[in-house]
């Protein structure tokens, strides 16, 4: 697994953790994350749970919840990056845990945001929910390919 793939997986994990805060899925997600990190790390599970709860409280009590979520997300992304760098054998387990955790999230929380940028006449191919979006630097609108062999132009 490349470093970029680890970074992407860590970001996915962090956003899942933060998305679960203040939802009915929080206990499930918190328990999965704490169990995952405890199994391979030296930190007691109760300490991981306490750090997760502290993050959730920071978000809940913040005057600027969006900013707090960004900060907390960055903290957990870094934590997961470091963990996966030290334990690359845990990558597949984290992927499986994330699938389980995402399934527990309320449907409104199961949204994806994907940012892509094409520079210097490059093309970016982004796949999301079965739709391939091709972004061209020389075009203001993406061309969307739905996998049916046809290409559409969306605005």
């Amino acid at each position: 697994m490349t470093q970029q793939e680890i970074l992407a997986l860590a970001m996915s994990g962090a956003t899942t953790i933060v998305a679960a805060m203040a939802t009915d899925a929080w206990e499930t997600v918190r328990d999965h994350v704490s169990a995952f990190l405890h199994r391979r790390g030296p930190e007691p599970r109760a300490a991981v749970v306490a750090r997760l709860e502290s993050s959730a409280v920071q978000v809940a009590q913040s005057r600027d919840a969006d900013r707090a979520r960004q900060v907390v997300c960055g903290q957990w992304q870094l934590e997961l990056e470091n963990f996966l760098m030290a334990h690359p054998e845990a990558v597949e387990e984290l992927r499986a845990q994330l699938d389980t955790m995402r399934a527990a999230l309320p449907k409104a929380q199961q949204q994806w945001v994907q940012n892509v940028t094409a520079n210097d006449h490059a093309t970016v191919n982004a796949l999301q929910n079965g739709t391939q979006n091709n972004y061209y630097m020389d075009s203001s609108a993406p061309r969307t390919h739905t996998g049916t062999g046809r290409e559409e132009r969306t605005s």
Side-chain angles (χ1 to χ4, degrees), residues 59 62-71:
V59 170
S62 176
R63 290 184 193 168
D64 186 349
D66 288 337
R67 174 138 168 51
R69 278 190 286 275
Q70 287 177 340
V71 169

Side-chain angles (χ1 to χ4, degrees), residues 11-29:
M11 178 55 130
S12 180
T15 56
T16 300
I17 291 168
V18 173
M21 293 176 179
T23 71
D24 291 339
W26 175 238
E27 286 184 25
T28 300
V29 170

